[in-house]
């Protein structure tokens, strides 16, 4: 599969990855502080919306599998238009709403945005898994998609913050909503018009979202993926606290995040080529171990260690490429040919595990409180251990379990 075809498929990954960072990071503060909704009401609405987002993905996967190829096209096109409108309404709410009406607006738009994003994302992942039966092609498809996604994350990290500093948060979110809509519609159009078509399979009316659970290889891979996803989500949850309170370098937060994600994008071709030589399973395990070796040094960093932490960001970011490209390619490999009509069901459960891992990583905050850390104070070893030590321990467990996974390696 040539680069133009891969690029036509991958482009949609940019706005899809771009969407979630403002919703998770900027929207809570915007509604709670700028719009006056308050922490308690905002937090309650966010919890309920995220709970819905977590549990609905397996059923959405089943719904997608029941659609024909034409149905996929219609689903993607309509969902992209609706998601653009929902994102704009979420980020640019009416001025005249009362407090409880604003809470209702936030809850309804979050639920709609989460659902539409999941519909597009699961269909998009299933599309990529059905592009080829050749394992090496699947790895390249995943690498191109995740590379575009990392560009989207960097853009979402930089654009709102830069605009907010100069024009205010309301204007920044409005510009972001417009940029997102243009990129989403462009990516959807490229996918539908220029990307390779997914292989057509016979549809089954007896599908169930539980079908992937009958696949032993999926259960083992899902277990490894979930443990590793929690290991990745914990540092993502605690990064701002670590940079501000342990390193006391809050002004360099944007630079550190950019170094990490850009390094992840640069590392994707390395892991793709390595997977061709060693196999996906061995390469992913090597990526986990490399990530541990690079990231564990964060435990030892003292306040003001800007250059040392930048090195940690670069090296662990390079290892991130393995976590992004290889697991979805491994998942595509283990779906039996007779279950190709249930590809979206597999990725629906996969998405559920990713979101569950993110939710579970939130428990790192009460764990920090239990060991005596308070935000805003100069942090000692307790924050560093939870931020870097615990994720490395989980990655070692995942790497050990991955050793017994009989897929993704070339036949001797």
């Amino acid at each position: 599969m040539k680069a133009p075809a891969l690029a036509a498929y991958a482009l949609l990954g940019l706005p899809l990855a771009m969407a979630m960072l403002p919703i998770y990071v900027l929207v809570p503060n915007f509604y709670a502080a700028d719009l006056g909704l308050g922490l308690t009401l905002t937090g309650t609405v966010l919890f309920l919306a995220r709970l819905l987002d977590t549990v609905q993905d397996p059923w959405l996967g089943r719904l997608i599998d029941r659609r024909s190829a034409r149905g996929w096209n219609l689903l993607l096109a309509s969902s992209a238009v609706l998601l653009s409108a929902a994102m704009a309404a979420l980020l640019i709410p009416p001025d005249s709403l009362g407090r409880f009406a604003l809470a209702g607006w936030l809850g309804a738009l979050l639920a709609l945005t989460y659902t539409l994003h999941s519909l597009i994302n699961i269909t998009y992942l299933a599309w990529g898994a059905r592009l080829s039966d050749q394992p090496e092609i699947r790895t390249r498809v995943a690498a191109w998609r995740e590379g575009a996604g990392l560009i989207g994350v960097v853009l979402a990290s930089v654009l709102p913050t830069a605009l907010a500093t100069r024009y205010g948060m309301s204007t920044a979110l409005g510009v972001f909503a417009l940029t997102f809509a243009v990129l989403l519609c462009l990516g959807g159009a490229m996918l539908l018009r220029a990307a390779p078509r997914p292989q057509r399979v016979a549809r089954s009316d007896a599908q169930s979202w539980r079908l992937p659970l009958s696949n032993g290889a999926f259960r083992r891979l899902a277990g490894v993926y979930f443990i590793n996803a929690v290991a990745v989500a914990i540092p993502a949850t605690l990064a701002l606290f670590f940079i501000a309170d342990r390193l006391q370098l809050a002004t360099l937060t944007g630079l550190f995040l950019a170094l990490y994600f850009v390094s992840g994008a640069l590392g994707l071709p390395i892991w793709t080529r390595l997977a061709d030589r060693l196999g996906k399973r061995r390469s992913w395990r090597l990526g986990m171990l490399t990530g541990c070796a690079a990231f564990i040094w964060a435990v030892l960093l003292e306040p003001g260690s800007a250059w040392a932490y930048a090195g940690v960001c670069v090296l662990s970011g390079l290892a991130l490429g393995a976590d992004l490209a290889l697991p979805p390619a491994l998942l595509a490999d283990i779906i039996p040919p007779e279950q190709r009509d249930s590809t979206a069901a597999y990725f629906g459960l996969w998405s559920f595990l990713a979101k569950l891992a993110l939710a579970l990583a939130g428990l790192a905050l009460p764990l920090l409180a239990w060991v005596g850390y308070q935000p805003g104070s100069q942090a000692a070893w307790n924050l560093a251990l939870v931020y870097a030590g615990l994720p490395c321990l989980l990655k070692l467990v995942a790497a050990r379990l991955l050793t017994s996974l009989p897929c993704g390696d070339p036949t001797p």
Side-chain angles (χ1 to χ4, degrees), residues 19-173:
M20 288 296 100
L21 190 65
I23 291 179
Y24 280 111
V25 177
L26 300 179
V27 164
N29 184 73
F30 179 58
Y31 273 80
D34 293 18
L35 300 181
L37 191 57
L39 290 174
T40 301
L41 195 51
T42 302
T44 301
V45 172
L46 288 172
F47 171 76
L48 294 175
R50 289 174 183 177
L51 182 64
L52 170 66
D53 182 40
T54 299
V55 303
Q56 71 180 346
D57 284 3
W59 283 272
L60 293 179
R62 181 187 183 194
L63 172 68
I64 293 164
D65 275 328
R66 290 188 169 186
R67 305 278 78 78
S68 63
R70 183 179 179 183
W72 277 24
N73 294 347
L74 181 60
L75 177 66
L76 285 168
S78 59
S79 296
V81 173
L82 291 173
L83 180 56
S84 298
M87 181 70 80
L90 177 65
L91 300 181
I92 315 171
D95 294 330
S96 57
L97 293 179
R99 189 162 178 260
F100 289 101
L102 183 62
W105 180 273
L106 174 62
L109 267 300
L110 278 176
L112 182 60
T113 301
Y114 284 144
T115 300
L116 291 169
H117 186 277
S118 293
L119 277 171
I120 298 174
N121 193 51
I122 295 170
T123 307
Y124 181 54
L125 292 171
W127 183 305
R130 291 187 184 181
L131 283 180
S132 175
D133 288 330
Q134 299 179 36
E136 63 275 11
I137 297 298
R138 290 175 181 152
T139 306
R140 281 168 173 74
V141 167
W144 276 75
R145 179 182 63 229
E146 300 304 328
L150 285 173
I151 295 173
V153 170
V154 173
L155 183 60
S157 302
V158 174
L159 182 61
T161 304
L163 290 172
T165 301
R166 185 165 185 177
Y167 301 107
M169 184 56 71
S170 296
T171 301
L173 292 179

Side-chain angles (χ1 to χ4, degrees), residues 249-262:
L249 297 169
T251 57
L252 298 179
T253 298
L255 175 62
F256 290 140
L257 293 178
L259 280 174
Y260 179 69
F261 290 120
V262 170

Side-chain angles (χ1 to χ4, degrees), residues 15 25 86 89 153 221 224 261 278-279 386 398:
V25 177
V153 170
L221 178 62
V224 173
F261 290 120
L278 301 180
V386 178

Side-chain angles (χ1 to χ4, degrees), residues 182-199:
V182 170
L183 291 174
L184 181 64
C185 293
L186 177 61
M190 287 293 292
L191 182 73
L192 297 177
R193 302 276 302 191
R197 311 305 296 176
Q199 296 178 2

Side-chain angles (χ1 to χ4, degrees), residues 361-408:
L363 296 178
L365 294 175
L367 175 60
L368 282 175
W370 181 69
V371 298
Y373 165 71
Q374 293 296 325
S377 62
Q378 184 173 344
W381 59 269
N382 46 14
L383 175 59
L385 282 179
V386 178
Y387 171 72
L390 180 57
C392 288
L393 177 61
L394 291 173
K395 271 190 170 289
L396 291 175
V397 172
R400 179 64 185 87
L401 294 174
L402 187 61
T403 304
S404 61
L405 190 69
C407 63

